[in-house]
Amino acid sequence: MIPKSAITGAPMTERRTRSKWLSHVADRIPTIQAWKRAGLTDEEIVKNLGVSRSVFKTYKATYPALQAALKTGKSDADANGESVHPRVLHLRYGFGG
């Protein structure tokens, strides 16, 4: 049997990650941007999305919408002075999250 990827021209791994992209990430771009604005690390975002680090890294390299959301969320947080994670404030100063 000929794999569907041979027919569509897309590598099998791209087809798998694309389906997870659609089911786990694509609709959550605004949420990801808000998480980044709130100071979450990529590792925490990966955990919240339920995808692996390697898949997330592939998404960052493949999908400009994700790159923009991560960059915009971080730059918004930096501009507003919100880039320090609440747990860091708690550990250093005894207040925050």
Side-chain angles (χ1 to χ4, degrees):
M1 180 174 182
I2 299 173
K4 287 184 181 181
S5 63
I7 297 168
T8 63
M12 288 284 265
T13 55
E14 184 179 326
R15 291 180 46 76
R16 268 190 300 231
T17 58
R18 187 181 313 147
S19 65
K20 199 139 187 170
W21 163 259
L22 293 174
S23 65
H24 287 73
V25 182
D27 292 339
R28 298 176 82 183
I29 293 293
T31 305
I32 294 167
Q33 190 173 12
W35 286 337
K36 199 64 170 179
R37 197 176 305 121
L40 269 67
T41 63
D42 285 358
E43 191 69 33
E44 292 168 318
I45 292 171
V46 164
K47 185 177 178 182
N48 289 346
L49 292 172
V51 298
S52 69
R53 284 178 280 168
S54 61
V55 168
F56 189 72
K57 185 177 177 181
T58 301
Y59 292 162
K60 283 177 26 177
T62 306
Y63 297 103
L66 179 59
Q67 293 171 4
L70 292 169
K71 188 174 184 178
T72 303
K74 182 170 179 1
S75 64
D76 289 351
D78 290 344
N80 294 330
E82 299 170 358
S83 61
V84 177
H85 197 280
R87 284 186 283 198
V88 173
L89 290 175
H90 177 69
L91 291 173
R92 288 189 182 165
Y93 306 107
F95 59 90

